[in-house]
Amino acid sequence: MKNKIDTQKLIKKLIPIFYKAGSKSIQCAKKLKIFTKDDGTPVSNGDLEVDKILQKFLKKISPEIEVVSEETIKNTKIKKRQTFWLVDPIDGTSSYIKGGSEYTINAGLIINQKPVAGIIYAPKKKRLFYSFGKNKAYEIFDKKKKIKLDCSKIKKRDKIALTNSSKPSEIIRRILKKYKINHFVSMRSSLKFCMIASSEFDFYAARARAREWDYAAGHAIAEGAGAIVRTHQNKKILYGKRGFKNPSLLIRRNSKI
């Protein structure tokens, strides 16, 4: 990139578009059409319509930055990448199809393989989260109340983890035990990253799973709020790998967890 990317400007431009995309997702859910992708996973008209809205706007405000989306990945050239957008139009499609409220709309900006900015909107919960750097993470509730997020603060309470399943694997149970966490709640979408960023939960561990677009925006928001995001081996997570596959994941609300 010849010119320095203004992450704050880009993310703030995206806020009204995410509200628009959220409204579209709710509208599509009223007349839901479900298809099956080549990999056997479901996709809905909501996923596809939201994807169109996000990709069109991202290409408009940042034409020099490639957009990589889950819903158009089969048309994406296989190569290593440094700087690009990662879009997951609807994360938690199963929740969305069932009429649940946990699904999210996501876009993360990767620069030099690192997640430097992100925005996540949970339309049914009326909660929008975004970040454009360290100590620059925020939540807007119901399009009105803006809160700065700082999850690095110490809280005197029992630690509570988030998991992908109500019955975590033995590997995840061992990690929870290692960090002396006895309580956990199951949550499926990228909302997990935001719940740690907002200090409502303290910990999340997952085996190598999903793809980079599932993590990028949440990773940026959690780190922007002060959380520590690493692999199980305490290595940094980089983006732009050839297959977009994620390594293992460990999120701690702060270094004391």
Side-chain angles (χ1 to χ4, degrees), residues 182-196:
N182 300 313
H183 308 288
F184 64 85
V185 173
S186 175
M187 188 176 290
R188 297 299 296 271
S189 75
S190 64
L191 195 59
K192 293 187 289 286
F193 292 85
C194 303
M195 293 299 93
I196 293 174

Side-chain angles (χ1 to χ4, degrees), residues 31-50:
K31 292 184 179 180
L32 203 60
K33 296 176 183 177
I34 304 169
F35 314 96
T36 302
K37 293 195 279 191
D38 293 342
D39 62 3
T41 58
V43 64
S44 72
N45 54 323
D47 295 79
L48 301 176
E49 289 299 321
V50 168

